[in-house]
Amino acid sequence: MTVYQPQGAAGRAADVASAVRTLVGSADIEVIPLRDAEEKLQAVPPGATIAVTCSAKLGLNRTLELARHAARVGFTVVPHLAARQLTGETELRGFVAALADAGITRLYLVGGDAPQSGPYGSSLEVLQALQGIDHGLRRIGVACYPEGHPKISDAVLAEALSAKQPYAAYMVSQMCFNPDVLVTWLRQVRGAGITLPLHLGVAAPMHVRRLLELSPRIGVGSSVRYLVKQHGFLGNVLKGGAYQPESLLLRMGDAVTSPELGVEGLHLFSFNQVSATLEWQRNVTGSQLAGAAASGQVSA
């Protein structure tokens, strides 16, 4: 596994480690609006950023309910909105008006995998529709796919990201476990003129067995297969160990700190394991990572 820092630059490992601690400490924590989500948020420090997912199963109202609650108790909130779930402009206007009423100024747009309910088949169409709405949103994020999409070609994904760039403030990558893929893709899109800051989509710590169970359902089976090939992974499974996300970030090395590559933030997929995510954040932000970054001795 390549660690992206020049030979003989061990002194720069401290910069990488510092950047990783900053990313982890300021990460957006994604929460699914299940019925116990409000209770789980009680453990999160005030001022943290909470991203609230949307799904066809739970509906947009559940996203709004949790987003408004999180805003009331003092969090920065990033609701998700899936284009294909919207029934039309009336619902879109109602959704963003509800965000404005709650003082929420950020939004994350995805196309969504649900059957199309109305006129919007992609996040680009929603972005364009928002240009005619007085919405008060200050930062809108869009999705990007370093490992590709099972139903959309790489060429179409690249064209769509370029088209969304004028309307968006940042992009969030799909969950990925392979630093080589992330860095290679990031260099490619920067070379193609994509300048949107990147928020790395990373799985929060979880038991490895649970990660293996979830991966086919959330569309990251190929990325998890990369993890399975790593030294010590099988032993981690047998021991009931946990996946440690800082491993991915450290292996990206200098790519994490490169201004040209523009890694701005971290988006943690918590799967509502909020307490475990917070404990991991505290451990990483208070740890000494420079040695691991310099040696490349990090594990899955």
Side-chain angles (χ1 to χ4, degrees):
M1 167 55 59
T2 303
V3 176
Y4 289 89
Q5 58 186 44
Q7 292 295 321
R12 298 180 65 181
D15 293 335
V16 173
S18 177
V20 169
R21 285 193 293 269
T22 298
L23 287 170
V24 170
S26 61
D28 298 355
I29 301 175
E30 183 183 281
V31 177
I32 303 165
L34 300 174
R35 290 302 181 191
D36 63 348
E38 290 186 11
E39 180 181 347
K40 289 180 180 292
L41 289 183
Q42 293 176 11
V44 182
T49 300
I50 302 298
V52 183
T53 66
C54 66
S55 70
K57 181 178 180 180
L58 295 175
L60 294 179
N61 283 338
R62 289 281 286 277
T63 299
L64 279 175
E65 287 173 10
L66 184 57
R68 286 185 291 214
H69 167 79
R72 280 196 304 270
V73 297
F75 297 116
T76 298
V77 186
V78 187
H80 292 198
L81 178 59
R84 297 172 68 85
Q85 284 183 239
L86 288 165
T87 56
E89 184 176 322
T90 299
E91 186 172 33
L92 174 60
R93 286 180 176 273
F95 190 92
V96 296
L99 298 186
D101 288 343
I104 296 170
T105 60
R106 288 182 59 182
L107 181 66
Y108 174 58
L109 284 173
V110 294
D113 296 324
Q116 188 169 336
S117 300
Y120 309 119
S122 69
S123 58
L124 175 61
E125 291 171 308
V126 176
L127 284 166
Q128 292 169 333
L130 285 171
Q131 303 312 299
I133 298 174
D134 183 15
H135 50 68
L137 295 167
R138 297 176 187 168
R139 279 177 65 81
I140 299 177
V142 295
C144 59
Y145 301 89
E147 290 196 298
H149 189 287
K151 297 179 181 179
I152 307 173
S153 71
D154 289 347
V156 171
L157 288 173
E159 182 179 353
L161 186 57
S162 180
K164 288 183 283 189
Q165 178 163 245
Y167 307 105
Y170 64 98
M171 57 184 177
V172 181
S173 63
Q174 70 194 128
M175 192 185 307
C176 184
F177 302 95
N178 189 329
D180 292 318
V181 167
L182 279 170
V183 175
T184 298
W185 175 87
L186 194 49
R187 293 190 188 284
Q188 289 174 344
V189 296
R190 296 307 186 214
I194 300 298
T195 59
L196 290 172
L198 175 66
H199 290 203
L200 286 165
V202 175
M206 69 177 70
H207 286 294
V208 172
R209 288 184 185 275
R210 177 63 173 155
L211 186 60
L212 291 173
E213 291 169 0
L214 281 172
S215 62
R217 282 186 264 164
I218 58 179
V220 295
S222 61
S223 196
V224 168
R225 283 194 289 274
Y226 161 84
L227 275 186
V228 173
K229 297 176 183 178
Q230 301 308 297
H231 176 71
F233 186 85
L234 181 58
N236 225 352
V237 173
L238 296 174
K239 295 175 184 175
Y243 167 69
Q244 300 298 325
E246 70 270 29
S247 167
L248 169 71
L249 301 173
L250 290 171
R251 287 183 181 273
M252 290 180 68
D254 286 344
V256 172
T257 59
S258 167
E260 292 77 17
L261 296 186
V263 175
E264 178 183 78
L266 196 63
H267 181 102
L268 288 172
F269 298 92
S270 78
F271 300 101
N272 284 25
Q273 298 185 69
V274 175
S275 294
T277 300
L278 294 172
E279 182 180 4
W280 170 76
Q281 278 187 302
R282 289 191 293 267
N283 290 338
V284 170
T285 54
S287 68
Q288 297 298 320
L289 296 175
S295 65
Q297 298 303 310
V298 288
S299 64

